Amino acid sequence: GENVEQHPSTLSVQEGDSAVIKCTYSDSASNYFPWYKQELGKRPQLIIDIRSNVGEKKDQRIAVTLNKTAKHFSLHITETQPEDSAVYFCAASGGADGLTFGKGTHLIIQP
Amino acid sequence: NAGVTQTPKFQVLKTGQSMTLQCAQDMNHEYMSWYRQDPGMGLRLIHYSVGAGITDQGEVPNGYNVSRSTTEDFPLRLLSAAPSQTSVYFCASSAGRKKAFFGQGTRLTVV
């Protein structure tokens, strides 16, 4: 089955700086890569996703890049703000059993 | 339009007791799934269903049963609760195996 590795587990950045979270996947058949944001005590919520026929996608301060050859994808957050503090999960999908998640990155925005 | 609704929000069980976590969605999604979330482990798939009458196992199915008699409902049954099942449980639904929408979660403690 699919295996998704996510790094780092914790990321602390100064407010206004950029944050990058990286994931790798193992199954070359995976073709859909979403990112979820989970605030403390809340449910995971989809913030951006990308399909394997696209190399990059951007939505305001958030962007995701995908390298199919290397089987890795990344989340980029620019001009970080206090409300960006949360746990972020990457995931991959393409097979019969839906989404496989990474273990999460705790993003801390320092004032 | 309520989305994905889970009940209860909190539950304490004694070892050996059984219970059912309820999940309902009103988006007419064919795909529903159950995840458990443990610290540092991300979201792990327990069981999933691709439509009424069809269920399958995910990564960590032992100790759990599911059924899908209608499109809307996908209950998760704990047969004989164990302390290792202490976790936060999330139900999710999607139109395909892609954009998953999560319920608010059930925090289960087994003593």
Side-chain angles (χ1 to χ4, degrees), chain B:
Chain B
N1 190 340
V4 181
T5 303
Q6 281 183 242
T7 55
K9 279 191 173 182
F10 302 95
Q11 182 71 49
V12 179
L13 288 179
K14 293 183 179 179
T15 297
Q17 286 185 316
S18 63
M19 79 157 295
T20 300
L21 307 185
Q22 301 292 343
C23 177
Q25 53 95 4
D26 60 2
M27 297 176 282
N28 202 32
H29 287 166
E30 70 270 20
Y31 187 83
M32 297 184 74
S33 51
W34 277 101
Y35 293 86
R36 62 176 288 173
Q37 184 174 31
D38 303 292
M41 297 297 292
L43 292 147
R44 293 183 292 169
L45 183 65
I46 304 171
H47 285 284
Y48 65 98
S49 168
V50 299
I54 306 169
T55 64
D56 208 343
Q57 297 180 351
E59 180 186 354
V60 289
N62 292 341
Y64 308 95
N65 272 1
V66 292
S67 60
R68 184 96 179 268
S69 56
T70 66
T71 300
E72 295 77 20
D73 300 298
F74 190 43
L76 178 73
R77 279 182 285 277
L78 279 70
L79 309 173
S80 176
S84 61
Q85 294 178 304
T86 293
S87 187
V88 180
Y89 292 84
F90 286 99
C91 177
S93 77
S94 60
R97 299 187 182 98
K98 307 299 185 188
K99 292 181 189 284
F101 294 89
F102 286 86
Q104 69 267 46
T106 297
R107 186 174 295 274
L108 175 68
T109 302
V110 182
V111 298

Side-chain angles (χ1 to χ4, degrees), chain A residues 56-111:
Chain A
E56 183 173 357
K57 184 177 178 180
K58 191 173 181 180
D59 183 3
Q60 299 183 342
R61 296 186 296 109
I62 294 173
V64 57
T65 58
L66 171 65
N67 183 326
K68 284 173 55 180
T69 303
K71 288 191 277 191
H72 67 70
F73 55 113
S74 300
L75 177 71
H76 305 253
I77 306 174
T78 58
E79 301 173 7
T80 53
Q81 300 170 4
E83 55 265 36
D84 295 329
S85 292
V87 178
Y88 292 80
F89 293 96
C90 63
S93 173
D97 56 355
L99 293 170
T100 300
F101 285 85
K103 289 182 168 50
T105 295
H106 184 195
L107 177 62
I108 301 165
I109 308 300
Q110 302 277 9

